């Protein structure tokens, strides 16, 4: 399985506890989408409410006035001028937990319920695709702040590949991590790729960074205690989870006017028009997953073509398979 999720937006990073499911296993795609979606709560004290036909009969005029109410409440939220803003509900997750703008869970008397909560519920869902709700709240608040200034912001996305077979990749030019980097950095807006411990690994000693092996049960005889390597050894998949991160830049097209020059070198101003996302990180995981899947299946097909039956060299030696592609057995295997 290949699952990607947002791990940072600007300076707001996912809490370490949110990097995996509470049970210790990797997140699933369904969990990332569910846990990573927030509902925005509005503050009725700013005059906000959901307009109905009773309030404004004309649908077009009702939508116009609703937008004005939304924008007014959003402006107040972004400015942070509300009294006791730490106590004001801002987001609700899929489990109906309530958080303030900083991702602090509100409980007891601070947690709204009943008609009070109903009056705050907006129809706005934010699919942040960060499966840790408190972190997603902080990221959303930052995105809303950036949007208010007609600017944009970038971040990072992590990807975890589980159940990857041993033996995919090459020891030199077509190392599996190199193939992944090639594919991922071919995607729009990507600016960096790191696997395993990545750049943080440079701060460790070799004795800390090494992945010592230990005995394992079942068909697998050995396994590493840690996975700082990120799922590959010498450019070849090791059977461990492949874990990598991708840097995504801020969107270039923003609402602010920017000084530039035309083709003649004359000074001018670039003023982009239309709707532009302040952050594309929530849209990135499906792209990362798709490209990663293509790279892995391509590597698997190369391995299949090399061995004639999809087994690694070690597997062939173990079960006595002839790896010679010209052998009659492998000819029959390819025909079948």
């Amino acid at each position: 399985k290949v699952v990607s999720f947002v791990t940072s937006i600007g300076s707001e990073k996912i809490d370490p506890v949110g990097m995996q499911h509470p049970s210790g296993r990797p997140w699933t795609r369904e969990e990332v989408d569910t846990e990573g979606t927030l509902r925005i709560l509005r503050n009725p004290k700013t005059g906000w409410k959901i307009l109905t036909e009773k309030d404004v009969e004309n649908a077009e005029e009702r939508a116009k006035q609703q937008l004005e109410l939304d924008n007014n409440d959003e402006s107040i939220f972004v400015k942070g001028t509300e009294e006791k803003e730490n106590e004001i509900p801002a987001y609700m997750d899929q489990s109906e937990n309530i958080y303030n703008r900083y991702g602090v869970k509100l409980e007891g008397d601070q947690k709204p319920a009943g008609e009070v909560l109903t009056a705050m519920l907006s129809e706005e869902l934010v699919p942040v695709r960060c499966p840790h709700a408190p972190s997603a709240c902080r990221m959303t608040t930052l995105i809303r702040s950036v949007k208010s200034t007609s600017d944009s912001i970038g971040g990072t996305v992590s990807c975890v590949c589980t159940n990857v077979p041993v033996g995919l990749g090459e020891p030199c030019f077509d190392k599996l991590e190199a193939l992944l980097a090639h594919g991922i950095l071919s995607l729009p807006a990507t600016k960096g790729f790191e696997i395993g411990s990545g750049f943080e690994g440079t701060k460790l000693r070799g004795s800390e960074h090494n992945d010592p092996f230990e005995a394992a049960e079942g068909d697998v005889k050995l396994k590493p205690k840690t996975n700082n390597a990120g799922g590959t050894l010498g450019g070849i998949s090791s059977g461990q989870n492949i874990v990598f991160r991708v840097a995504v830049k801020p969107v270039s097209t923003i609402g602010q006017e920017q000084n530039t020059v035309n083709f003649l070198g004359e000074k001018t101003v670039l003023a982009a028009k239309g709707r532009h996302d302040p952050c594309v990180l929530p849209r990135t995981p499906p792209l990362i997953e798709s490209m990663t899947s293509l790279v892995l299946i391509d590597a698997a097909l190369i391995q299949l073509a090399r061995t004639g039956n999809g087994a690694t060299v070690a597997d062939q030696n173990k079960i006595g398979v002839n790896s010679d592609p010209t052998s009659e057995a492998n000819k029959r295997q390819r025909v079948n």
Side-chain angles (χ1 to χ4, degrees):
K1 293 183 179 180
V2 179
V3 179
S4 177
F5 53 95
V6 175
T7 47
S8 75
I9 292 179
S11 60
E12 295 295 345
K13 299 180 180 180
I14 188 172
D15 291 343
V17 69
M19 287 298 294
Q20 59 185 8
H21 189 270
S23 66
R25 60 169 173 77
W27 293 106
T28 65
R29 159 56 38 219
E30 293 75 17
E31 289 168 343
V32 169
D33 288 340
T34 301
E35 301 295 330
T37 298
L38 302 173
R39 181 180 295 276
I40 290 180
L41 301 182
R42 296 296 183 182
N43 188 358
K45 292 182 179 180
T46 66
W48 181 90
K49 68 175 184 176
I50 292 288
L51 296 177
T52 65
E53 190 173 350
K54 292 182 179 180
D55 298 310
V56 183
E57 185 174 348
N58 182 274
E60 185 176 345
E61 181 62 26
R62 185 166 64 251
K64 180 180 178 182
Q65 291 187 26
Q66 185 67 64
L67 181 61
E68 292 176 355
L69 291 176
D70 291 348
N71 289 341
N72 178 63
D73 183 81
E74 185 71 9
S75 177
I76 295 174
F77 174 86
V78 169
K79 291 177 181 178
T81 56
E82 301 159 297
E83 292 185 11
K84 298 182 179 180
E85 62 176 25
N86 291 345
E87 300 178 8
I88 297 177
Y91 305 104
M92 183 172 73
D93 66 14
Q94 296 301 302
S95 300
E96 299 189 356
N97 294 309
I98 308 298
Y99 304 88
N100 68 9
R101 66 171 62 224
Y102 303 112
V104 177
K105 187 176 179 180
L106 300 181
E107 298 180 299
D109 294 338
Q110 293 183 345
K111 181 180 179 180
E115 294 182 357
V116 176
L117 176 59
T118 301
M120 295 180 171
L121 293 176
S122 74
E123 298 178 353
E124 300 166 84
L125 296 177
V126 185
V128 190
R129 285 200 166 108
C130 171
H132 185 248
S135 302
C137 292
R138 297 194 302 271
M139 294 177 187
T140 302
T141 297
L142 177 57
I143 293 174
R144 293 167 71 179
S145 175
V146 170
K147 181 181 179 181
S148 70
T149 62
S150 299
D151 214 334
S152 64
I153 196 165
T156 60
V157 172
S158 289
C159 186
V160 181
C161 311
T162 57
N163 299 321
V164 179
V166 177
L168 303 186
E170 302 284 347
C172 191
F173 298 108
D174 287 332
K175 289 176 178 285
L176 187 58
E177 57 263 46
L179 295 175
L180 286 168
H182 186 181
I184 295 302
L185 293 178
S186 297
L187 295 172
T190 55
K191 287 297 181 181
F193 176 93
E194 62 176 10
I195 189 167
S197 61
F199 292 106
E200 288 299 312
T202 63
K203 302 175 183 178
L204 303 178
R205 304 290 179 91
S207 56
E208 298 172 306
H209 189 269
N210 289 339
D211 296 321
F213 284 96
E214 62 182 359
E217 299 178 354
D219 294 335
V220 179
K221 301 302 180 184
L222 300 173
K223 68 175 182 179
K225 291 182 178 180
T226 54
N227 190 25
N228 289 319
T232 65
L233 290 174
I236 300 173
S237 60
S238 65
Q240 295 298 299
N241 292 343
I242 294 178
V243 183
F244 62 85
R245 286 161 298 282
V246 183
V248 180
K249 74 179 183 70
V251 178
S252 299
T253 306
I254 60 176
Q256 295 183 15
E257 293 187 348
Q258 301 175 85
N259 295 324
T260 184
V261 296
N262 60 23
F263 287 109
L264 300 177
E266 301 167 338
K267 293 182 179 181
T268 185
V269 175
L270 175 65
K273 303 297 182 182
R275 176 188 178 278
H276 302 286
D277 290 333
C279 182
V280 296
L281 266 298
R283 300 179 183 271
T284 306
L287 301 178
I288 300 295
E289 292 173 0
S290 298
M291 182 61 78
T292 301
S293 298
L294 288 173
V295 171
L296 292 178
I297 193 61
D298 193 44
L301 290 173
I302 291 173
Q303 179 70 0
L304 177 63
R306 177 186 298 113
T307 63
N309 59 12
T312 63
V313 174
D315 290 335
Q316 293 175 42
N317 293 335
K318 181 179 179 180
I319 63 178
V321 174
N322 190 338
S323 62
D324 182 0
T326 64
S327 69
E328 291 300 320
N330 281 326
K331 286 181 180 178
R332 290 194 298 271
Q333 176 72 24
R334 289 195 295 276
V335 171
N336 293 335

